[in-house]
Amino acid sequence: MRRSLAGVALAVTSMVALSFLIPLAALVMSLVKEQSITAAEQRAAALAPVLTLTTDPSALRESAASLDATEHVVVHLPDAPALGSSRAPAALLERAQRGRESISQEIPDGWICLQPVVLPGDRVAVIENFVPEQDLTRGVKASWAVMLLLAVGLIGGSVLVADRLGAKVVRSSKRLAHASHALGQGDLEARVDPMGPKELRDAGIAFNAMAHRMTELLAVERELVADLSHRLRTPLTALHLASERMAGSPESARVEAAVCALETELQAIITAARTPLAVGPMGQGMLGTEAGGTEAGKGRGKGHLDTSAVPSGPRCEAADVVRRRTAFWAVLAEQQSRPCSVEVTQEPAPVGLSDDDVAAVVDALIGNVFRHTPSGTPFDVRVARTALAVELVVEDAGPGIPEPDRALSRGSSTGSSGLGLDIARRAAAVTGGSMHIARGPRGGARITVVFGLATPLPTGRGPRTSRRRTGWPRGR
């Protein structure tokens, strides 16, 4: 913007300066020329009274010597040679003598002035005054140089003033842009100091009000989530009492374990909602990569990895989290007779997410298998480590996902909210990775989530890979 304002000031001031300089330069040249010609005519007229009194060459030379530029003054007497070196063309000289006409005319070397003087006896003498060409433009270049310097100073001053004014506008605009970017990245404390022109000050005040209102709304929303989650503790208490009454039965242990796990998850939700407002890695992914996440589901394969997007923050071992969560789902898989193979790398697999975030991704993907495929449908879970990424693959033998693009949009798929796949997509995007939906060899859905590799955590384990098959029954 500063360059644009300086350019506009330069263009406008230059046009104004040129519109004055060009006519003024022509006027200066015309005035200098006119003054030189007028002075020549005056010198010729001053010598005319002397001719009417005497035609003595000595007296005429003495009179001419008192005039300026005497070397260019020539007197043409009717019956004597010219007094001086004449430059007048013969035709003009004859015209002045016979026609008794005063002539002032431009000639190739300058300007000539011829003044006829009638002598006694009806004789005509002619006074010639020649003005050289350099005298016609004397001082013009110096005047032009002064005017040019003044114009350059005027243009430079206007550009400097425009640049200073533009700097204030640009500085306030940049501060507003930086604050907006920080707020978009999750810095809820981002504010701007209103400055600059009135319009930008009003924009800064409006931005601060918007950010303050956004913080208030987020706080209210989090309180609402915490309150709603807390209300679920009442039915959980009832489930606890029911499991105690079932003590001794084969199902009581499973029910108690499920209730404890649910209570643990509920407590985690309440704790997260009660913490001070802050946007973690998953929130940054939602705020900063909303558009990019859709692209990930549309065209980015598992080989694509944007390592520049990996933020600094929490770290966890993805392989360990996957082992724990697949063990949790083993109970339900056994009840539904779902065969499953689990292959987890033994190499360090650190990703830039917390344990809870990775667990949410695993639960969302495996939970989709249980919700959208019939009982007895097998599925596979694999975790592989590459040079720059950690790949989580969940594949089933169900009907598959007919429209992968729509599956990433919340609420667009029939019978599904799309929230689970959206959680996985956002988690991958936060680490600089991607998610890809395809049809696997089993005929069902094959979902590949690529996490960007984070700084390895010290484990002391060697790079080994193990493959194990669960003992879950193949059928009933």
Side-chain angles (χ1 to χ4, degrees):
M1 182 180 291
R2 291 178 61 180
R3 291 184 178 179
S4 300
L5 292 176
V8 171
L10 176 63
V12 172
T13 312
S14 299
M15 288 188 293
V16 172
L18 288 176
S19 64
F20 281 96
L21 282 178
I22 294 176
L24 188 59
L27 179 62
V28 168
M29 176 175 284
S30 176
L31 288 176
V32 171
K33 183 177 181 180
E34 184 177 352
Q35 288 176 357
S36 300
I37 295 173
T38 301
E41 292 176 348
Q42 290 176 351
R43 285 192 294 269
L47 195 59
V50 179
L51 276 175
T52 59
L53 297 176
T54 179
T55 58
D56 181 49
S58 299
L60 292 175
R61 288 192 182 94
E62 185 178 352
S63 299
S66 62
L67 301 175
D68 295 332
T70 182
E71 67 274 10
H72 300 304
V73 177
V74 180
V75 179
H76 297 273
L77 297 173
D79 300 326
L83 302 178
S85 178
S86 176
R87 294 175 179 248
L92 290 179
L93 187 59
E94 184 178 359
R95 174 181 160 190
Q97 288 176 339
R98 292 189 177 184
R100 302 179 181 182
E101 176 185 357
S102 297
I103 299 175
S104 181
Q105 183 175 327
E106 186 178 7
I107 60 175
D109 295 334
W111 195 274
I112 195 73
C113 296
L114 299 177
Q115 178 67 41
V117 179
V118 179
L119 301 178
D122 200 27
R123 295 177 303 164
V124 177
V126 177
I127 302 173
E128 172 189 338
N129 198 345
F130 173 71
V131 183
E133 187 174 1
Q134 59 269 23
D135 290 347
L136 295 175
T137 59
R138 188 185 304 276
V140 172
K141 292 184 178 180
S143 301
W144 285 1
V146 172
M147 290 189 293
L148 183 61
L149 288 177
L150 291 176
V152 171
L154 177 62
I155 294 173
S158 64
V159 172
L160 181 61
V161 172
D163 181 72
R164 292 298 90 198
L165 294 176
K168 292 184 178 180
V169 176
V170 170
R171 186 161 52 249
S172 56
S173 301
K174 284 184 176 180
R175 290 185 179 181
L176 183 58
H178 290 163
S180 301
H181 182 71
L183 183 64
Q185 292 297 322
D187 183 7
L188 300 179
E189 299 298 327
R191 297 294 186 272
V192 64
D193 183 17
M195 60 175 296
K198 182 179 182 300
E199 292 77 8
L200 287 177
R201 290 199 303 270
D202 293 342
I205 295 173
F207 172 83
N208 291 338
M210 178 196 67
H212 182 69
R213 182 58 177 165
M214 181 185 300
T215 304
E216 290 181 346
L217 292 176
L218 287 175
V220 172
E221 183 180 358
R222 290 167 67 88
E223 287 295 331
L224 180 61
V225 171
D227 293 342
L228 293 176
S229 301
H230 193 273
R231 291 170 60 183
L232 293 177
R233 285 185 169 180
T234 300
L236 276 179
T237 303
L239 287 177
H240 270 299
L241 296 175
S243 65
E244 290 177 359
R245 288 194 297 269
M246 295 171 57
S249 64
E251 297 295 328
S252 63
R254 293 181 179 178
V255 173
E256 183 65 23
V259 171
C260 291
L262 181 58
E263 188 172 9
T264 301
E265 294 294 330
L266 187 59
Q267 183 61 38
I269 293 175
I270 295 175
T271 302
R274 293 293 188 185
T275 55
L277 277 176
V279 180
M282 290 288 284
Q284 289 176 359
M286 179 177 65
L287 292 171
T289 58
E290 193 68 33
T294 304
E295 180 185 355
K298 292 182 178 180
R300 291 194 292 188
K302 67 180 181 178
H304 175 82
L305 181 65
D306 182 11
T307 56
S308 62
V310 180
S312 60
R315 297 286 188 274
C316 74
E317 279 291 335
D320 294 341
V321 178
V322 173
R323 290 191 191 96
R324 291 197 301 268
R325 298 315 298 166
T326 51
F328 170 80
W329 286 96
V331 178
L332 186 57
E334 183 178 357
Q335 289 180 352
Q336 296 187 359
S337 301
R338 290 181 181 271
C340 175
S341 66
V342 179
E343 181 183 352
V344 180
T345 180
Q346 295 299 315
E347 295 184 77
V351 296
L353 295 170
S354 65
D355 290 2
D356 292 339
D357 292 338
V358 177
V361 173
V362 177
D363 291 343
L365 297 181
I366 299 180
N368 281 342
V369 175
F370 280 82
R371 280 190 294 270
H372 301 293
T373 61
S375 299
T377 302
F379 67 96
D380 301 329
V381 179
R382 291 191 299 276
V383 177
R385 157 78 183 270
T386 64
L388 296 175
V390 176
E391 297 182 358
L392 170 63
V393 180
V394 177
E395 179 183 346
D396 62 69
I401 301 177
E403 296 179 282
D405 294 344
R406 292 189 59 194
L408 288 172
S409 300
R410 297 186 180 186
S412 61
S413 301
T414 304
S416 173
S417 65
L419 180 59
L421 294 179
D422 185 66
I423 291 174
R425 172 188 62 78
R426 290 190 290 114
V430 166
T431 64
S434 60
M435 187 177 75
H436 182 66
I437 302 176
R439 186 173 293 275
R442 290 176 176 268
R446 176 189 176 96
I447 301 176
T448 304
V449 182
V450 182
F451 299 106
L453 195 64
T455 305
L457 298 175
T459 59
R461 293 179 296 182
R464 296 180 290 109
T465 302
S466 68
R467 178 183 177 88
R468 66 180 179 88
R469 271 241 190 281
T470 64
W472 303 344
R474 292 287 181 178
R476 286 184 180 177

